[in-house]
Amino acid sequence: MASLLYRLGKLAARKRWWFVSAWLVIMVAVGGSVAAFMGTLSNSFTIPGTPAQAVADELQEKLPDASGGLGTIVFTTADGTAFTAKQEDAIAKISADLTELGAVKRATDPVDLQASLDTAPEKIADGEEKLEAAAQKLDDGRAELDAGKTQLEPGLQQVRAAEAQIEQLEAAGQTAMAEQARAQLEPQRAQLEAAQAQLDEAEQRLEDGRAEYESGVADLEAAKLQQQSSDGLRFVSEDGSAAFVQVQFEQDMMSVSKEDREQVQQVTEAGLVSGLQAEYSKDIVEDISSLFGAAEIIGIAVAAAVLVLMLGTLLAAGLPLLMALVGVGVGVGGTMALSGVVEMSSVSPVLALMLGLAVGIDYSLFIVNRHRTQLLSGVPLIESIGRATGTSGNAVLFAGLTVIIALAALAVPGIPFLTVLGLAGAATVAVAVVVALTLTPALLAIMGRRILSKRAWAKAGLTGPVAADAEVAAPGHEFHNDPKRSWGKSVTKHPWLALIAGVAVLGVMAVPAAGLRLGLPDGSSEPADSTAYRSYTQLGENFGEGINGPLIVVADLPAGLEGAETDQTLLQLSQELRAMDHVSAAVPTGTSQDGRTAVLQVIPEEGPAAESTEDLVHNLRAETDALEESTGVGISVTGQPPMQIDVSDKLADAMPVYLAIVIGLSLILLLLVFRSILVPLLATAGFLLSLGASFGAVVAIYQWGWLGNLFDVHDPGPILSFLPMIMIGVLFGLAMDYQMFLVSGMRESYAHGEDARAAVVSGFNHGAKVVTAAAIIMVSVFAGFIFSHLTMVRPIGFALALGVLLDAFVVRMTLIPAAMHLFGKAAWWMPRWLDKILPDVDVEGAKLVQRVDTPERDEALAAGVR
């Protein structure tokens, strides 16, 4: 591979304008793809097949009116007083206008809803009075009707007796007398029939009144049940200064476009009147179209300053930065272009951006540094570019592969959004590697010997960039810096002290990791000056924390229930749910047309990320059988908190498998590279130490709130559920980068016959400067995301920045040299049989340097390239 990269580097140097043009074409094509195909990103996370997602899918099918994303608008008065009539009218009009939007399913007027709740007791009492009056009237009517029937009965009996006599006369043949008697009876019969008709009519009116009364009783009972079920629920605060509108969209929140969210805000702002304010939940104002913020730019500026200090010229410092920008432009641009066809979370391109910038600068820096060292050693320009690409470029390729494999392994747990995230990061790192191996050599050739300052040439004892072509050192000669004092010498002078102190520091830092809780971000994690945070806090202050994350309980009702029976069953279920710990309200909100499915909104006592809410979700699922036995209703749970819990549980279950894969890969990879049993074990143990310490710091700051003011953590809460897997994948890859760049130098010195302990120091000195600069650059880039405008990214930036800092300076540059000094020659032991079967990967390309002969060097000189 080293020989192939050597030829690739020389080809890129000779055909530099072709390579530059090819990358320009690629960048233009990617830019066009982003403009044409970019879709919508989201901070929503779902995992198909989880219990909460399965319930949500079932609800969409059985009760579509209850499905669709929810956003909240909180209205308050500027002076904290109760709403005026004008302000209430404005809220009502805004609610109506929002309902008219095509993307919105409904937005109910909170003032009207609260009025209904407030007047319900009075209406019920008035209804009871009216029903009592109606009952009395029915009783009086029945008594009057019965009296009329009683009065009519003697007359009817007389008529029936007269008819019997007439029949007897007819039977005796006295027809004339019978006819005369019938004629005399007819007026009385007509009078009685008219009276009977009046009684029948009165009977019918009484029956209609009875039916109306029974209907009123049913309605009253339903109103009473509704009032009891709604107990504890408010839409306008008790002091009348705050109200909230729940905006239900036609689609789920991930599918709601940025334009539709903005339209909701525009309609609301247009309807506000004097003294009326509106704040929006993060579901509505969420805008993740911008990946860069001021903090990220500061991080890059720090990286640029480090490059200038190390390389000495703006031209040389600008090259790694340019390579990183090209890499992230193509890698992140390609990711964004795919967002139109792939469901993608906002953190995917941000992680790709973060990694692309960091590794893009470092990988190019390794090649540039090697090239500059060779030039100072007298190696011709084209030859130096080829060697740098074949040696350091080979290490870059191998190091990049470790990061790519670690990120791609995020697909192993089978979690869709994590798979996309890992592949997006892996693809961007792959682009950074290709840029470093192709575009960097081309631009090095274009820059010529200006990659070094005149001061650097003079320090090397050469007369300058132009004359240096004639001052060629012997082939294979390298410019070495062997200081009398170095960190490597200090560490190996007191190895036990360094080892114990380093392990103790990392061990203490790792202690908080035992309390790690996983979750997903909500409005409480938004910036304190954002409308999303104000909306979240105002809801909590005025309506209780639980209103920010209600649970959706789906009830499977028994067959055959109708009307009052359904209401009574739902009330019983509501009361059972309300009696559970950590529940403040349980309100039925809808029933399917077939009467078999109902939805209840359960409001927890605390917010969606609280431990009590998590306990409530687990308790609801555990009590399903008991609730069905007592109420006859089967339940299942979905909503934001259950979704978050299911995602976190799924990720937590997958983490040990992923960690085992990464550690196994680490052992195999380092076994190939260093041809040692002990070195891979030390490297992996060091990786676990830095990982544990990073976890501990993240928990202490972002979950416990330590140093919260410094890191702008105003509401500590659970750690981002997929952060541990990202940390494992990224830190593993980067840790192996530094392991290879430092320990391979030790391996090379030992292989060339140096004493094992002395090789630790010489190998350390060989790579310490560039690894230090690379680590500082990577920490600076990651640290730039600690104060990102995307709050979900902040703990990721902190975790990666601290992880790289600890792994590079405490583990790779302190613990590893100390341990290898203590083990001495035993550190490089490997069974002979294993050494024979393992392929020689030659990461540093040492064999390549040995094969480079004088004719190739003379040919490069004859070309006269400067």
Side-chain angles (χ1 to χ4, degrees), residues 331-380:
V332 177
T335 299
M336 299 292 284
L338 290 173
S339 64
V341 294
V342 176
E343 189 175 281
M344 190 174 296
S345 64
S346 61
V347 77
S348 297
V350 174
L351 179 66
L353 173 68
M354 200 184 301
L355 289 175
L357 285 173
V359 302
I361 293 173
D362 280 5
Y363 290 168
S364 180
L365 175 62
F366 291 137
I367 295 175
V368 170
N369 184 67
R370 185 66 170 249
H371 172 59
R372 283 161 51 92
T373 302
Q374 291 170 168
L375 287 179
L376 291 175
S377 301
V379 180

Side-chain angles (χ1 to χ4, degrees), residues 18 24 45 51 80 126 158 178 180 239 251 312 318 330 399 402 448 475 489 501 799:
W18 283 101
L24 285 174
F45 302 93
D126 184 57
Q158 289 179 2
Q180 183 180 1
D239 63 3
Q251 299 175 301
V330 174
T402 64
K489 287 185 178 181

